[in-house]
Amino acid sequence: ALGCLLADIRYAEQRSLRMANTAWDQPRLAAAIDATAARLAEPLVKAGHRRDTLRIGIDGLIRYREQSDTVEVPLEAPYDPQRIAIAFKSIHQRLYGFATDEAWELDTLRVNVSGPSGELLAASPVKTAVSAGPLRAAQCWFENGAIATAFYDRETLVPEARIRGPAIIEDPWST
């Protein structure tokens, strides 16, 4: 259980971008990265992490045009296509034994935001309000067959709330 408390909490998002090196659009790339990182940071800030302590990782999945396999390349501002090309070719050479001067594209953008390792957050004051009831119930299949299962919204649960199971707790990032 202590490992769960001390493990990094991380949110990640991956999206198609398909930006050719021959039609590079640095402002579009920077805007996509900034918007995604801001969205991913919100639940961490809401959980008590200071925004200035969050770590942001940015990777591009890059491939030669007309190829299907991508190579993961770390990206850093100012997202200069010449520097990215050098990194891509170096990684491609290491992985596949060759690199060319062919056109390439940033196929997919991956952004992850995480809180500092081992940071224990101060517990929120215990709320005296009662947790909201389930959002809905549905039949879920378990080893012994279908069982009515309650669904709860994580945002409406108070700390130390006891819920009778089986139950599914939902939030925008997981179940």
Side-chain angles (χ1 to χ4, degrees), residues 6-12 36-38 40-41 44-45 49-58 110-119:
L6 295 177
D8 286 351
I9 183 168
R10 175 180 310 224
Y11 292 94
T36 304
L40 295 175
L44 293 165
V45 171
H49 292 280
R50 290 191 348 258
R51 194 173 296 274
D52 65 336
T53 65
L54 300 179
R55 292 186 312 272
I56 299 173
I58 306 159
R110 182 183 302 143
V111 178
N112 69 72
V113 180
S114 60
S117 296
E119 179 181 46

Side-chain angles (χ1 to χ4, degrees), residues 37-74:
R39 185 173 49 258
L40 295 175
E42 285 310 309
L44 293 165
V45 171
K46 191 173 184 179
H49 292 280
R50 290 191 348 258
R51 194 173 296 274
D52 65 336
T53 65
L54 300 179
R55 292 186 312 272
I56 299 173
I58 306 159
D59 294 301
L61 301 182
I62 299 176
R63 63 187 170 106
Y64 286 113
R65 302 288 309 266
E66 310 304 324
Q67 295 294 314
S68 57
D69 293 330
T70 60
V71 173
E72 186 174 319
V73 177

Side-chain angles (χ1 to χ4, degrees), residues 6 20 26 28 45 61 83 92 104-105 120 124 155 162:
L6 295 177
Q26 189 276 344
R28 176 178 158 231
V45 171
L61 301 182
R83 291 182 67 197
H92 199 280
W104 53 269
E105 73 177 358
L120 291 174
S124 301
E155 300 254 334
R162 294 191 184 270

Side-chain angles (χ1 to χ4, degrees), residues 44-174:
L44 293 165
V45 171
K46 191 173 184 179
H49 292 280
R50 290 191 348 258
R51 194 173 296 274
D52 65 336
T53 65
L54 300 179
R55 292 186 312 272
I56 299 173
I58 306 159
D59 294 301
L61 301 182
I62 299 176
R63 63 187 170 106
Y64 286 113
R65 302 288 309 266
E66 310 304 324
Q67 295 294 314
S68 57
D69 293 330
T70 60
V71 173
E72 186 174 319
V73 177
L75 302 179
E76 295 179 11
Y79 316 115
D80 174 59
Q82 284 77 30
R83 291 182 67 197
I84 293 169
I86 291 168
F88 167 61
K89 289 175 186 177
S90 173
I91 294 169
H92 199 280
Q93 176 71 40
R94 184 172 40 85
L95 292 173
Y96 299 109
F98 75 95
T100 72
D101 289 328
E102 294 176 51
W104 53 269
E105 73 177 358
L106 172 55
D107 181 71
T108 305
L109 175 65
R110 182 183 302 143
V111 178
N112 69 72
V113 180
S114 60
S117 296
E119 179 181 46
L120 291 174
L121 301 176
S124 301
V126 176
K127 298 177 183 177
T128 56
V130 176
S131 293
L135 298 170
R136 65 185 180 286
Q139 294 290 324
C140 292
W141 286 89
F142 294 92
E143 188 175 86
N144 297 326
I147 299 175
T149 304
F151 287 69
Y152 291 85
D153 179 357
R154 182 180 308 277
E155 300 254 334
T156 66
L157 299 176
V158 296
E160 300 183 29
R162 294 191 184 270
I163 297 172
R164 190 175 170 99
I168 295 177
I169 299 171
E170 300 176 313
D171 67 26
W173 304 99
S174 64

